[in-house]
Amino acid sequence: MHHIENVMGTAVTIDIADLLPRDTLTDLVERTCAWLHEVDRRFSTYRDDSEINRLDGGDLSLDQCSPDTRAVLDACEALRRRTDGYFDARATGRLDPSGYVKGWSVEVASRLLARAGSFNHCVNAGGDVRSRGRPALGGAWRVGIRHPWEHDRTAWVLACTDLAVATSGTYERGLHVIDPHSGEAAGALRSVTVTGPDLAIADAYATAALAMGTDGLLWLARLADSGYESAAITSDGHAYTSDGLPILIEPVPVEPVPVDPVHTEPVHIEEPAALA
C-alpha cells in the first residue's frame, strides 16, 4: 500500500510492502497517520495551542506536559550535551525541538508499524526516512538525497534496509539553522545527511553538523564508530561521505575526509512514552 499524508508541514509518504489483507493495511496507515497528526498537534511551533508553545509561553508547566513531551525534551538535552551544544532546542531563543521531533515521530511510527505486524515498510517525512525490511520486489529501499542546487537531480541514492536516513539543508528553507555558540545562521554546509539505526538521533546529528559548519565534517566522520554514517555538501560545492555510507548511485563528485579513528559512545535515550 502506498499513501501520502499532508502533516507536520510536509508530505509524508507511507509505503507498506507486507502481503497483508487490504483492511489490515488500511488500518495500519490510518493508525500511523493518527499518530503523526497527534505529534503535530502537540509539538507544532506554528500552532498557538500546541503543548510545546504553551510550555514555552508559560501557560503550561513541564509537570503538566504529556510523557512524550517530557521524553522529547529529555532527549534534546542529552543530545545538546553530546553535540557540545550544537544541537540546541532553544538555539533560536524559543523552545523549538523540531530538529528532533520529526525524526522521532517517524521512528516511533515505524516501531508501531513493526509491533502491529508490518516488517517491510518505508516512511518518508520530507527527507527523514525510516525503512524496515525490503520493498515488494525485493532488494533494498532506494532513498534519494536531493541535489542542493539542481532540484530535479539527486546527489546520491542510498540502498536502505532497516535503516534511518535524515537530511538537513539550507536549499529549501534558507539559513534556518542557528549556530548556538555564535548566534549566527549556519551557512558553510549546504546539505548534511546522516544514516543509522535511529532516525531521531540521526535527525539531531544532521542538524548539529549543519550548525557546526565545516568543523562538522570531521565530527560526522567520527560518528561511524557509533553506527552513524554521513554525507555532506559544502556551500562551495564539495561533497564528502563516510566510508560506510550505503551508496547505490553516486552522480556527484565525492571527496573523502581523512579522519583518525576516534571512539565515540552512542547516546542513550529512553524509549518514547508512545511505545510504553
Side-chain angles (χ1 to χ4, degrees):
M1 177 171 281
H2 174 77
H3 178 80
I4 299 175
E5 186 78 5
N6 291 308
V7 61
M8 299 189 298
T10 191
V12 178
T13 302
I14 304 167
D15 288 290
I16 301 177
D18 302 279
L19 297 177
L20 298 170
R22 185 74 179 180
D23 288 348
T24 301
L25 292 171
T26 299
D27 180 62
L28 289 174
V29 167
E30 289 178 349
R31 289 162 62 183
T32 300
C33 292
W35 160 249
L36 295 174
H37 281 285
E38 178 185 340
V39 170
D40 191 41
R41 286 191 297 271
R42 189 172 294 163
F43 291 98
S44 174
T45 59
Y46 298 98
R47 299 174 59 132
D48 292 337
D49 62 345
S50 71
E51 195 169 301
I52 208 70
N53 274 344
R54 292 172 62 206
L55 174 63
D56 191 38
D59 298 327
L60 201 64
S61 71
L62 186 59
D63 289 341
Q64 293 174 310
C65 290
S66 65
D68 279 342
T69 294
R70 294 196 298 271
V72 162
L73 294 180
D74 285 346
C76 287
E77 176 57 23
L79 285 159
R80 187 190 66 80
R81 295 192 301 268
R82 176 64 182 85
T83 61
D84 193 27
Y86 280 99
F87 179 82
D88 190 339
R90 292 189 178 274
T92 61
R94 60 175 296 189
L95 181 59
D96 182 2
S98 302
Y100 178 85
V101 165
K102 186 155 69 104
W104 168 78
S105 67
V106 174
E107 178 68 32
V108 171
S110 177
R111 294 182 192 180
L112 293 174
L113 282 169
R115 288 189 178 186
S118 172
F119 305 109
N120 299 278
H121 61 257
C122 185
V123 184
N124 183 343
D128 285 346
V129 182
R130 186 59 164 95
S131 67
R132 287 186 190 268
R134 299 182 181 278
L137 299 178
W141 296 98
R142 296 188 174 199
V143 177
I145 308 303
R146 179 174 164 180
H147 195 289
W149 285 283
E150 301 179 37
H151 296 172
D152 59 343
R153 293 182 59 200
T154 55
W156 297 280
V157 175
L158 307 182
C160 302
T161 303
D162 297 319
L163 192 68
V165 181
T167 298
S168 183
T170 63
Y171 47 81
E172 191 168 82
R173 295 174 57 193
L175 302 180
H176 67 287
V177 173
I178 303 298
D179 174 353
H181 296 287
S182 69
E184 301 293 329
L189 299 182
R190 183 79 170 173
S191 173
V192 174
T193 295
V194 177
T195 71
D198 187 295
L199 183 56
I201 296 174
D203 196 7
Y205 280 170
T207 301
L210 199 70
M212 292 178 191
T214 53
D215 289 344
L217 297 174
L218 295 179
W219 183 82
L220 283 168
R222 291 168 180 152
L223 294 178
D225 283 343
S226 55
Y228 290 86
E229 303 292 341
S230 58
I233 299 175
T234 64
S235 59
D236 58 0
H238 291 90
Y240 303 84
T241 62
S242 61
D243 290 339
L245 192 71
I247 299 174
L248 182 66
I249 300 173
E250 185 180 299
V252 299
V254 173
E255 299 180 6
V257 181
V259 178
D260 295 329
V262 175
H263 178 70
T264 56
E265 294 294 333
V267 176
H268 173 72
I269 295 177
E270 294 183 359
E271 284 272 294
L275 297 181

